[in-house]
């Protein structure tokens, strides 16, 4: 029977709880905002597509609504991925931006979501992705998404994890909101409590992530996202509370010598401290210094030896690793 199950896993690429229990040992593919290279980011449709691509984790960026519902959206703003300026033109703040936190969940569900665009010009950011202002996409809650992923895990016999991010915690605190506590409660309610559970929690704010570990006593796998050069020198501090780091991939690259990339010591230093390295963001349509997506994957996943990647094109990374 065990041989038969193993054969099914090989043929269909199904990930079972058994072969995922020690999930952090392998290189992992994180669907960045879902399969966002193919469908508008953070839509339920993009998450379902990512699940079908056999990723290891699906990402959820989280912002609170006016009535304290964790909304899956990349920013605290609405006007670069929805039609909020048309539906609620008078609800913008003095900076002319529309904020998730100023709308109830019921109001947010009335908005149409589209491919990301510049709110000043209306121009789509990634021209060759899903056409802007087409389709019927909506915002949804963290609870909605967890139920989708857990339901698909059951019906497809997979065990794909979630990778939520606490967005702008200081902004939420100034608005009188407890984002981290609210998210941790939802995660706990759905069975995500410890490192054994298939959930990784991430945040750019180091003080907040440390607070989540120390004061809020979370036992989840925590990843400290890093953005600025000076943060790469704080690994010893990060290692006191986090299990991994999430650097911008350019922080790993050094220079090219005779056509080959050399690397900073970031990945090596992190591994020496027992930290996993999950790098962002791998985009097949935004290659910058790489000649192809294959070169990008080979350089960072194999040669630089990162442990996982956030990608808008998860199927391409899954195929590469397979």
């Amino acid at each position: 029977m065990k041989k038969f199950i193993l054969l099914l896993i090989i043929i269909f690429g199904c990930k079972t709880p058994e072969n995922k229990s020690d999930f952090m040992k392998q290189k992992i593919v994180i669907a960045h905002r879902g399969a966002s290279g193919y469908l508008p980011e953070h839509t339920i449709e993009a998450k379902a597509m990512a699940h079908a691509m056999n990723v290891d984790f699906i990402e959820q960026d989280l912002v609170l609504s006016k009535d304290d519902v964790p909304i899956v959206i990349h920013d605290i703003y609405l006007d670069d991925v929805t039609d909020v300026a048309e539906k609620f033109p008078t609800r913008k703040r003095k900076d002319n931006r529309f904020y998730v936190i100023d709308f109830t969940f019921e109001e947010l569900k009335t908005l149409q979501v589209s491919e990301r665009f510049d709110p000043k010009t209306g121009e789509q950011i990634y021209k060759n992705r899903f056409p802007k202002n087409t389709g019927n996409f909506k915002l949804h809650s963290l609870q909605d998404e967890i139920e989708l992923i857990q339901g698909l895990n059951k019906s497809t016999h997979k065990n794909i994890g979630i990778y939520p991010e606490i967005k702008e915690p200081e902004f939420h605190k100034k608005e009188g909101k407890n984002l981290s506590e609210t998210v941790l409660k939802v995660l706990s309610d759905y069975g995500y409590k410890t490192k054994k559970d298939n959930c990784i929690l991430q945040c750019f704010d180091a003080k907040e992530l440390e607070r989540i570990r120390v004061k809020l006593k979370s036992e989840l796998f925590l990843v400290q996202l890093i953005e600025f050069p000076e943060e790469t020198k704080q690994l010893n501090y990060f290692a006191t509370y986090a299990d991994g780091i999430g650097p911008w991939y350019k922080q790993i690259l050094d220079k090219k010598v005779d056509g080959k990339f050399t690397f900073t010591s970031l990945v090596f230093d992190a591994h020496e401290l027992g930290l996993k390295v999950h790098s962002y963001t791998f985009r097949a349509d935004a290659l910058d210094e790489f000649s192809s997506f294959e070169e990008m994957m080979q350089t960072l996943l194999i040669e630089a030896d990162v442990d996982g990647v956030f990608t808008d094109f998860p199927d391409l990374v899954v195929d590469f690793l397979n």
Side-chain angles (χ1 to χ4, degrees):
M1 186 65 181
K2 286 183 179 178
K3 288 183 179 178
F4 176 69
I5 292 171
L6 181 60
L7 183 61
L8 285 178
I9 293 169
I10 292 169
I11 293 172
F12 295 107
C14 293
K15 296 175 180 178
T16 67
E18 289 75 19
N19 74 328
K20 287 284 287 177
S21 60
D22 201 4
F23 57 85
M24 293 309 298
K25 283 188 176 177
Q26 62 183 27
K27 291 188 185 294
I28 65 169
V29 180
I30 305 137
H32 181 248
R33 311 179 201 175
S36 56
Y38 305 104
L39 283 163
E41 64 183 57
H42 282 319
T43 56
I44 280 288
E45 291 84 354
K47 304 309 174 76
M49 187 176 194
H51 194 283
M53 290 172 169
N54 286 328
V55 297
D56 298 287
F57 291 86
I58 299 173
E59 183 189 40
Q60 303 80 33
D61 293 313
L62 299 171
V63 177
L64 284 183
S65 67
K66 186 175 185 178
D67 48 350
D68 295 321
V69 177
I71 305 300
V72 183
I73 186 170
H74 183 257
D75 299 305
I76 57 175
Y77 310 110
L78 289 162
D79 42 316
D80 45 12
V81 289
T82 78
D83 62 349
V84 65
E86 296 169 30
K87 287 233 173 70
F88 299 97
T90 64
R91 300 278 291 274
K92 60 188 175 184
R93 293 195 180 189
K94 290 179 181 178
D95 60 359
N96 288 321
R97 299 303 302 267
F98 295 82
Y99 287 74
V100 176
I101 208 165
D102 292 334
F103 295 81
T104 66
F105 185 37
E106 288 305 312
E107 289 174 326
L108 292 169
K109 287 192 289 186
T110 68
L111 301 176
Q112 284 290 121
V113 175
S114 75
E115 185 65 34
R116 179 169 288 275
F117 59 92
D118 183 330
K120 291 180 180 177
T121 65
E123 291 295 311
Q124 184 168 325
I125 302 297
Y126 295 100
K127 311 292 186 193
N128 294 318
R129 295 192 181 184
F130 201 94
K132 176 177 166 264
N133 295 331
T134 61
N136 184 27
F137 305 104
K138 299 290 185 179
L139 293 171
H140 63 275
S141 68
L142 173 60
Q143 294 93 321
D144 293 333
E145 184 158 330
I146 289 175
E147 290 179 9
L148 172 80
I149 293 169
Q150 289 188 347
L152 284 172
N153 281 344
K154 183 178 171 100
S155 63
T156 62
H157 310 292
K158 298 176 186 177
N159 189 26
I160 290 170
I162 63 171
Y163 206 128
E165 180 183 342
I166 303 293
K167 300 293 291 192
E168 303 281 357
E170 278 304 309
F171 167 81
H172 282 87
K173 284 176 190 171
K174 287 174 183 174
E175 296 283 330
K177 301 285 189 186
N178 296 314
L179 175 58
S180 296
E181 288 89 337
T182 304
V183 169
L184 287 171
K185 173 70 165 58
V186 172
L187 295 177
S188 178
D189 288 347
Y190 282 91
Y192 302 108
K193 300 176 183 178
T194 73
K195 288 185 179 68
K196 291 181 181 178
D197 303 315
N198 219 2
C199 173
I200 299 175
L201 186 64
Q202 58 177 330
C203 188
F204 275 102
D205 188 318
K207 287 183 180 177
E208 184 66 8
L209 199 65
E210 183 181 29
R211 187 177 83 89
I212 287 168
R213 175 71 82 213
V214 177
K215 187 175 180 181
L216 302 183
K217 301 188 185 307
S218 174
E219 297 176 28
L220 289 170
F221 196 102
L222 302 183
V223 165
Q224 178 63 59
L225 297 170
I226 59 177
E227 182 178 9
F228 303 107
E230 59 270 20
E231 293 174 313
T232 63
K233 314 229 183 300
Q234 295 181 270
L235 296 187
N236 285 303
Y237 163 51
F238 298 153
T240 64
Y241 61 86
D243 304 287
I245 58 168
W248 185 27
Y249 76 85
K250 292 191 179 186
Q251 294 172 316
I252 295 167
L253 299 176
D254 193 357
K255 51 193 168 191
K256 235 177 179 179
V257 178
D258 296 328
K260 293 282 286 180
F261 283 98
T262 59
F263 307 104
T264 66
S265 65
L266 183 59
V267 175
F268 176 83
D269 293 343
H271 286 165
E272 285 290 291
L273 291 167
L275 295 167
K276 296 291 182 181
V277 180
H278 299 162
S279 180
Y280 65 87
T281 304
F282 283 40
R283 295 183 172 104
D285 53 358
L287 294 170
D288 294 329
E289 54 273 277
F290 296 104
S291 60
S292 68
F293 196 52
E294 288 70 24
E295 183 189 33
M296 184 181 194
M297 292 186 287
Q298 175 69 28
T299 298
L300 290 156
L301 273 162
I302 308 304
E303 294 167 20
D305 195 25
V306 301
D307 303 289
V309 299
F310 293 86
T311 178
D312 293 7
F313 298 86
D315 57 326
L316 302 182
V317 184
V318 168
D319 288 347
F320 174 80
L321 288 174
N322 286 342

